[in-house]
Amino acid sequence: MKKILLGLGLCSTLVLTGCGGKTLTCTLDQSQSGIDMKSKMIINFDDKGEAVKKVDVEMNITVDDETKKVMEQTGMSMEAFSKTMSSNFDELKEEGFTVDSKVSNNTIKFKANINSDKLSDEQKQALNLNGDSMDSIKKDLEESGFTCK
């Protein structure tokens, strides 16, 4: 689970949900060379915070006009970049794991949703959903620059 969460490049904040489970919400804002990335990750755990039940990831990547122009000159349109991001997860998609990306002007909106109750055992293993606790995931994300509450 740690690898996928960090690979998606996202974040968390700790709150209790109405159904008795625990939720970790993380955010990460990064800017570099004309590219701004804002990420938000919401991870739902069981009542004890020991098993991931659901993960919702949102990432908005915005490029300035100059960076977009350079991308296009090198043959990488915003649409192609969006498809490349989504295709990184093609082999993981099945019931319980969805990925979507959309391009609007200079922004790519990327969303991923994981529902561990609907995943096969093989899929859980591929996504490392095999027992990392909320505290462990929070620590790893914060060490990677995320803000978690």
Side-chain angles (χ1 to χ4, degrees):
M1 179 64 183
K2 295 175 195 172
K3 295 175 190 172
I4 292 299
L5 296 178
L6 295 174
L8 292 174
L10 302 174
C11 55
S12 55
T13 303
L14 178 62
V15 295
L16 294 177
T17 64
C19 61
K22 295 183 178 183
T23 301
L24 184 65
T25 303
C26 296
T27 58
L28 176 68
D29 293 343
Q30 294 179 316
S31 295
Q32 183 176 357
S33 304
I35 301 173
D36 293 325
M37 183 181 77
K38 295 182 185 273
S39 303
K40 181 177 181 180
M41 181 182 301
I42 300 171
I43 309 165
N44 294 308
F45 294 84
D46 64 5
D47 294 348
K48 296 178 183 178
E50 295 174 356
V52 173
K53 302 305 264 175
K54 185 177 177 189
V55 181
D56 294 308
V57 175
E58 291 184 19
M59 186 180 346
N60 291 327
I61 301 169
T62 304
V63 299
D64 62 22
D65 289 334
E66 183 178 327
T67 302
K68 183 178 179 182
K69 191 177 196 179
V70 170
M71 287 173 64
E72 290 170 349
Q73 289 172 347
T74 60
M76 178 62 82
S77 67
M78 292 291 287
E79 289 78 11
F81 183 61
S82 174
K83 286 180 183 176
T84 299
M85 283 180 56
S86 292
S87 70
N88 288 326
F89 301 98
D90 281 349
E91 74 267 5
L92 300 174
K93 290 181 189 175
E94 68 174 47
E95 184 178 1
F97 183 76
T98 60
V99 175
D100 183 44
S101 64
K102 294 182 179 163
V103 177
S104 176
N105 297 321
N106 291 16
T107 301
I108 298 171
K109 296 181 183 224
F110 177 84
K111 291 184 179 185
N113 305 97
I114 301 168
N115 183 338
S116 66
D117 290 336
K118 294 184 178 181
L119 297 176
S120 66
D121 290 338
E122 294 81 18
Q123 188 71 348
K124 288 179 184 179
Q125 186 173 1
L127 292 169
N128 277 333
L129 291 175
N130 295 325
D132 287 336
S133 70
M134 184 167 69
D135 291 338
S136 174
I137 291 171
K138 180 180 179 184
K139 181 181 178 220
D140 289 342
L141 289 170
E142 288 178 336
E143 287 175 355
S144 296
F146 294 97
T147 300
C148 301
K149 299 179 183 177

